[in-house]
Amino acid sequence: MELKGSSNLSKLATGNDHGENSLYFEGWKAYDNDPFHPTRNPKGVIQMGLSENQLSVELIEDWIKKNPGASICTPEGILAFKDIANFQDYHGLPEFRNAVAKFMWKVRGGLAGFDPERIVMAGGATGASELLMFCLADPGDGFLVPSPCYPAFDRDLRWRTGVQLLYVNCKSSNNFQLTQQSLENAYENARKANIKVKGLIIANPSNPLGTTMDKATFKMLVKFINDKKIHLVCDEIYSATVFCGPKLVSVSEIIEEMECDRDLIHIVYSLSKDMGLPGFRVGIVYSYNDKVVSCARKMSSFGLISSQTQYFLASMLSDEEFVEKYLSESAIRLANQHDLFTRGLDEVGIKCLESNAGLYVWMDLRPLLKEATFEGEMDLWRVIISDVKLNVSPGSSFHCHEPGWFRVCFANMDIKTMRIALGRIRKFVVQENDQVRQVKKQKKTSEGHLTLNFSSQMYDETWVVSSPRLLSPRSPLPQSPLLRART
Amino acid sequence: MVADNEQYLSVRLSKVAVSETHGEDSPYFAGWKAYDENPYDELCDSSGVIQMGLAENQVSFDLVEKYLEKHSANMGKETSSFRENALFQDYHGLKSFRKAMASFMEQIRGGRAKFDPDKIVITAGATAANELLTFILADPGDALLIPTPYYPGFDRDLRWRTGVNIIPIHCKSSNNFEITQESLESAYDEAESKNVKVRGVLITNPSNPLGATITRTVVEGILEFVTRKNIHLVSDEIYSGSAFSSDEFVSVSEILEARKYQDSERVHIVYSLSKDLGLPGFRVGTIYSYNDHVVKTARRMSSFTLISSQTQQLIASLLSDRKFTENYIKTNRERLKKRQQMIVSGLENSGIQCLKGNAGLFCWMNLSPLLEECTKEQELDLWKLILNEVKLNISPGSSCHCSEPGWFRVCFANMSERTLDVALKRIHGFIISRKFMKRIDGE
């Protein structure tokens, strides 16, 4: 009797619920095999499938240079080394929790306070969302999730917890907004299938839509979960990526304005997106339910944040001047980048869902589909990866109910690279148009054709910015009401 | 019929959330509370509680501090690679970190085992590593066999969210708590009788709470047992660098290497820097598995519990300095040995015997002669007495699932020699007064 390979392992280990066989990751593999580099591999695949915020890192680097004491490895900070290295209390460093609570409050425009005693650490947002599932649901229970949604929810919320995800399909016809009807339908379907619904999880701002939830919809949602007595988990990890109006309405604000059982309300937070620090694994569970805080805190032993990192962040996030500057500058840079990208797409007739947040856009490529099916979407996606050499994420991997939508990230590259990407898209669209024209030789309709209405020189790979519409990160932008509200 | 209200309350959270399997109601943790409320202060020689229930290593910290002081100017220059490091969230972990860990583990084993950096999976502490392995090796309802006495945290780490059971392998003081073939078979049979599927054996080597390494013969015996039963072996070796002599610690990895890794896919090692290097706050844990599928799956699962890239970078720097690591390992061993000798002889002077130990940050003390009846209740009464009157927080054997009452784990590496001296004096005073009281009662 010999133990070989994967035999003799648990069902978790031998199943596919780790989710890595999904297409979401196939594009990454294509990128890994042939990654773009401006000089070393200019024809490589440009990574537009990775939702990372790389636009404002040097603001943090500047702060570090000016504050060497924040690191316990520098001559200035070393006196703190012993105590910090020894600190493994799962409550977390008090100064860390205080700083995070304050930061969360600032990001939400000072509209709702956060109690440091309710802040619980987790291994990134990945760890935080799983942790909450363990606290709120039993194996086999269901959690409603509006789709399209973050692909890794399949793994994060289900894999080890055994929880079932019940998608609430949102439609392009109303800009993918969540409706009461769709919620009721999903809940009813679950009931018919004998699945106990324990809660609903939303991402606000939404991934992949890049939109924030409006107050009316949010109130409808909170009333819904209250009536059904189910939990509401709000993943607010993109809260500081709002770059123009309407401003973010956090669940913390909503519950101040309406009757609600607070024991049902929980927030997932992280610094991976807002501050561009995914490597530091800073996940936060914030719950208004005392029992959940208590349970989550015990569970956080499985994914505590390194005390070295807690110490560093406590220092940085309690520097109010820096935080103000970072938040406003980051929003400006995101706005610029988003603007540049969407205008570039618009120039070739590609529309995106109108968005005010996030590190990506939700691009509508339905006109480019050879057939309006998911197979058609897959074919198009494969072409984009292999011929256009862009790793974008197909809507089906986000459980989108309608084919033809793609999430495209724009905040993980510099402007030069973005222009190269836009140039490739332009070439591709021209090619596609030519092909379509050939196929539809007899038809005169212009519906579904993507037209060019600008100089074809504009997105040449060697073109230099001179158009007033294309702004560099440091050029002044009229301040959005969102930014004004913070100062 | 449960009232609607109660039912409504009880269904709102998960079963995991309302269960007591987090284990925090055990005396292991209650003593900590007493300490928190009235901690001993060395500077004013107060009458507060001396914490002897916390297995932390503070005896060699100055070595790490000296190293950092010397190199901190260079380490500060990490801002130039800050961006790259802050963005690095690859669950493979930094290659430099894994290489440094592999090398450190090799040095601890005197070069008698090699470790491949690509078989190292990173986790936020050994707590996460042990839970993760349990998720991978066992299904809910299955069992792991664990020799008693064992680390109280296992009850939570291995069972709470996984739904896996622990079946104890009962070890006895009559043979120094050695893990015998009979005890292994007996535990396995117990599982079978309950219709519970055994998926593996988990040992801690060096042992917590015994403070002793497992002999080569016994490790080989356990390997033979798991092979025969076709189950896994998890070897938690987080105290490997705290064995007082390198030769006396025999890791399962060196046995496998000597056998050219024959049939090694069932073996998995847990390591951490919390004990050996005294860095528990940094959450540096690793899983080393000889099974590629386990490595792959563990890596994927580690997404829930990665090590901060900032910390990976720091540790990579620290541990790739061979001069530092060799000196640290050697000096740490010497200091721990000296400390252990101090407490063991101090206890002997008070007429208290400890299990003969050669590793770890604690000793396994036998207070059963102080019990009128050898029962768990009396053990807990004695524990409370020691906590409240002698003002020492030590860990009762029952919280470690020891089958014989009267044993206590006492930590010695988380305090200065001066404080240890105070603790020994208090124990001495306590024993004398008890003997005196007994004499009075007897008259």
Side-chain angles (χ1 to χ4, degrees), chain A residues 20 134 138 261 306 308-309, chain B residues 12 14-15 91 135 310-311:
Chain A
E20 284 192 17
F134 271 121
D138 293 318
D261 180 0
S306 167
Q308 175 193 16
T309 301
Chain B
R12 274 154 117 204
S14 66
K15 294 191 178 91
Y91 61 23
F135 269 121
Q310 203 185 20
T311 302

Side-chain angles (χ1 to χ4, degrees), chain A residues 191-410:
Chain A
R191 204 187 58 79
K192 287 196 189 123
N194 244 336
I195 299 172
K196 198 194 306 180
V197 177
K198 289 309 269 292
L200 166 69
I201 180 166
I202 59 162
N204 178 35
S206 160
N207 176 10
L209 303 177
T211 53
T212 53
M213 193 167 278
D214 65 274
K215 229 180 220 188
T217 308
F218 220 146
K219 285 188 168 173
M220 176 276 294
L221 180 64
V222 171
K223 181 166 187 303
F224 174 81
I225 59 111
N226 254 282
D227 290 345
K228 302 280 191 272
K229 295 190 177 49
I230 60 177
H231 293 278
L232 176 59
V233 175
C234 294
D235 177 343
E236 298 192 347
I237 67 174
Y238 288 99
S239 47
T241 66
V242 177
F243 50 78
C244 75
K247 68 170 181 61
L248 174 76
V249 176
S250 161
V251 68
S252 53
E253 197 187 318
I254 294 283
I255 62 177
E256 297 291 334
E257 291 182 17
M258 62 185 283
E259 278 290 307
C260 170
D261 180 0
R262 289 186 177 211
D263 275 352
L264 298 174
I265 310 292
H266 323 276
I267 299 176
V268 167
Y269 190 53
S270 160
L271 297 180
S272 301
K273 310 297 178 183
D274 285 352
M275 296 222 74
L277 306 171
F280 289 6
R281 315 313 304 146
V282 182
I284 302 288
V285 169
Y286 188 94
S287 176
Y288 292 88
N289 180 322
D290 292 344
K291 286 202 173 75
V292 172
V293 171
S294 170
C295 174
R297 192 170 279 133
K298 295 178 172 102
M299 263 189 208
S300 67
S301 302
F302 298 111
L304 294 173
I305 300 171
S306 167
S307 52
Q308 175 193 16
T309 301
Q310 289 185 54
Y311 185 76
F312 167 74
L313 290 170
S315 191
M316 188 170 77
L317 297 182
S318 47
D319 183 343
E320 292 189 32
E321 210 189 299
F322 166 75
V323 166
E324 288 253 5
K325 181 176 145 207
Y326 180 90
L327 289 175
S328 75
E329 184 62 30
S330 171
I332 290 174
R333 294 180 188 193
L334 285 170
N336 272 354
Q337 200 103 334
H338 172 266
D339 192 54
L340 173 67
F341 192 55
T342 48
R343 281 174 197 258
L345 291 176
D346 196 47
E347 302 278 357
V348 293
I350 294 179
K351 301 284 176 224
C352 297
L353 184 73
E354 200 174 309
S355 62
N356 62 328
L359 310 174
Y360 36 77
V361 290
W362 189 232
M363 188 167 73
D364 183 359
L365 292 187
R366 288 176 297 175
L368 290 183
L369 293 182
K370 298 221 160 48
E371 22 171 291
T373 60
F374 286 109
E375 287 73 32
E377 179 183 282
M378 280 302 102
D379 289 340
L380 177 59
W381 175 67
R382 287 199 177 98
V383 166
I384 296 175
I385 300 252
S386 54
D387 297 357
V388 192
K389 299 272 195 103
L390 301 176
N391 178 31
V392 299
S393 312
S396 50
S397 63
F398 295 86
H399 298 282
C400 185
H401 214 53
E402 304 168 29
W405 292 85
F406 291 77
R407 188 193 76 174
V408 190
C409 300
F410 59 76

Side-chain angles (χ1 to χ4, degrees), chain A residues 101-122:
Chain A
K102 207 162 189 190
F103 184 72
M104 288 172 74
W105 169 79
K106 253 219 135 54
V107 167
R108 286 152 188 71
L111 287 169
F114 289 90
D115 178 1
E117 297 300 313
R118 293 189 177 286
I119 286 185
V120 175
M121 300 182 284

Side-chain angles (χ1 to χ4, degrees), chain A residues 11-301:
Chain A
K11 296 189 180 82
L12 275 188
T14 49
N16 271 325
D17 282 343
H18 52 74
E20 284 192 17
N21 297 331
S22 121
L23 288 164
Y24 183 63
F25 297 100
E26 252 185 58
W28 289 32
K29 289 174 198 160
Y31 166 78
D32 284 338
N33 291 336
D34 181 20
F36 169 83
H37 185 276
T39 48
R40 292 197 297 263
N41 189 19
K43 299 256 182 281
V45 175
I46 297 179
Q47 175 62 286
M48 304 194 85
L50 189 56
S51 168
E52 266 178 9
N53 185 354
Q54 295 185 24
L55 304 183
S56 307
V57 186
E58 99 276 3
L59 295 177
I60 299 179
E61 286 173 323
D62 283 343
W63 185 89
I64 289 176
K65 287 194 185 103
K66 295 190 188 116
N67 295 272
S71 163
I72 50 178
C73 303
T74 57
E76 293 84 350
I78 199 152
L79 284 176
F81 187 88
K82 181 173 179 171
D83 286 340
I84 296 301
N86 209 44
F87 185 87
Q88 58 173 329
D89 181 346
Y90 63 21
H91 289 81
L93 281 174
E95 54 266 37
F96 171 70
R97 280 184 288 127
N98 289 339
V100 169
K102 207 162 189 190
F103 184 72
M104 288 172 74
W105 169 79
K106 253 219 135 54
V107 167
R108 286 152 188 71
L111 287 169
F114 289 90
D115 178 1
E117 297 300 313
R118 293 189 177 286
I119 286 185
V120 175
M121 300 182 284
T126 302
S129 16
E130 189 202 40
L131 197 155
L132 270 173
M133 290 301 111
F134 271 121
C135 289
L136 305 177
D138 293 318
D141 286 346
F143 240 80
L144 299 170
V145 190
S147 70
C149 66
Y150 171 52
F153 273 166
D154 285 341
R155 173 197 65 187
D156 298 353
L157 308 180
R158 290 185 329 152
W159 191 17
R160 304 193 302 181
T161 62
V163 169
Q164 299 192 60
L165 292 187
L166 312 163
Y167 300 103
V168 184
N169 296 316
C170 298
K171 303 188 177 129
S172 61
S173 50
N174 72 336
N175 293 322
F176 297 96
Q177 283 191 326
L178 199 52
T179 63
Q180 173 119 25
Q181 194 58 59
S182 57
L183 284 170
E184 296 285 357
N185 288 346
Y187 188 86
E188 185 57 25
N189 289 339
R191 204 187 58 79
K192 287 196 189 123
N194 244 336
I195 299 172
K196 198 194 306 180
V197 177
K198 289 309 269 292
L200 166 69
I201 180 166
I202 59 162
N204 178 35
S206 160
N207 176 10
L209 303 177
T211 53
T212 53
M213 193 167 278
D214 65 274
K215 229 180 220 188
T217 308
F218 220 146
K219 285 188 168 173
M220 176 276 294
L221 180 64
V222 171
K223 181 166 187 303
F224 174 81
I225 59 111
N226 254 282
D227 290 345
K228 302 280 191 272
K229 295 190 177 49
I230 60 177
H231 293 278
L232 176 59
V233 175
C234 294
D235 177 343
E236 298 192 347
I237 67 174
Y238 288 99
S239 47
T241 66
V242 177
F243 50 78
C244 75
K247 68 170 181 61
L248 174 76
V249 176
S250 161
V251 68
S252 53
E253 197 187 318
I254 294 283
I255 62 177
E256 297 291 334
E257 291 182 17
M258 62 185 283
E259 278 290 307
C260 170
D261 180 0
R262 289 186 177 211
D263 275 352
L264 298 174
I265 310 292
H266 323 276
I267 299 176
V268 167
Y269 190 53
S270 160
L271 297 180
S272 301
K273 310 297 178 183
D274 285 352
M275 296 222 74
L277 306 171
F280 289 6
R281 315 313 304 146
V282 182
I284 302 288
V285 169
Y286 188 94
S287 176
Y288 292 88
N289 180 322
D290 292 344
K291 286 202 173 75
V292 172
V293 171
S294 170
C295 174
R297 192 170 279 133
K298 295 178 172 102
M299 263 189 208
S300 67
S301 302

Side-chain angles (χ1 to χ4, degrees), chain A residues 1-3 5-6 8-13 18 20 52 54 57 60-61 64-65 71-75 78 81-82 84-88 90 123 126-127 130 134-138 155-156 159-160 198 229 231 261 263-264 276-281 289 291-292 295 298-299 301-309 312, chain B residues 8 11-17 22 24 56 58 61 64-65 68-69 72-73 75-76 78-79 82-83 85-89 91 124 127-128 131-132 135-139 156-157 160-161 199 228 230-232 263 265-266 278-283 291 293-294 297 300-301 303-311 314:
Chain A
M1 234 189 325
E2 240 179 66
L3 178 74
S6 66
N8 229 359
L9 299 184
S10 67
K11 296 189 180 82
L12 275 188
H18 52 74
E20 284 192 17
E52 266 178 9
Q54 295 185 24
V57 186
I60 299 179
E61 286 173 323
I64 289 176
K65 287 194 185 103
S71 163
I72 50 178
C73 303
T74 57
I78 199 152
F81 187 88
K82 181 173 179 171
I84 296 301
N86 209 44
F87 185 87
Q88 58 173 329
Y90 63 21
T126 302
E130 189 202 40
F134 271 121
C135 289
L136 305 177
D138 293 318
R155 173 197 65 187
D156 298 353
W159 191 17
R160 304 193 302 181
K198 289 309 269 292
K229 295 190 177 49
H231 293 278
D261 180 0
D263 275 352
L264 298 174
L277 306 171
F280 289 6
R281 315 313 304 146
N289 180 322
K291 286 202 173 75
V292 172
C295 174
K298 295 178 172 102
M299 263 189 208
S301 302
F302 298 111
L304 294 173
I305 300 171
S306 167
S307 52
Q308 175 193 16
T309 301
F312 167 74
Chain B
Y8 162 62
V11 296
R12 274 154 117 204
L13 298 188
S14 66
K15 294 191 178 91
V16 163
H22 52 73
E24 285 195 18
E56 271 178 7
Q58 294 181 25
F61 214 81
V64 178
E65 279 175 320
L68 288 172
E69 268 159 29
S72 62
M75 276 167 156
E78 68 194 298
T79 51
F82 178 83
R83 169 189 271 262
N85 183 254
L87 289 171
F88 185 84
Q89 58 173 327
Y91 61 23
T127 302
E131 189 201 40
L132 207 150
F135 269 121
I136 291 177
L137 305 179
D139 292 312
R156 174 197 65 186
D157 298 352
W160 191 18
R161 305 192 305 180
R199 298 309 285 268
R228 207 168 8 101
N230 194 21
I231 57 179
H232 294 275
D263 199 18
E265 297 96 22
R266 62 183 77 256
L279 306 172
F282 288 179
R283 315 316 300 144
N291 183 319
H293 197 92
V294 171
T297 307
R300 287 176 173 149
M301 246 187 226
S303 301
F304 299 108
T305 182
L306 295 170
I307 303 173
S308 169
S309 53
Q310 203 185 20
T311 302
L314 165 61

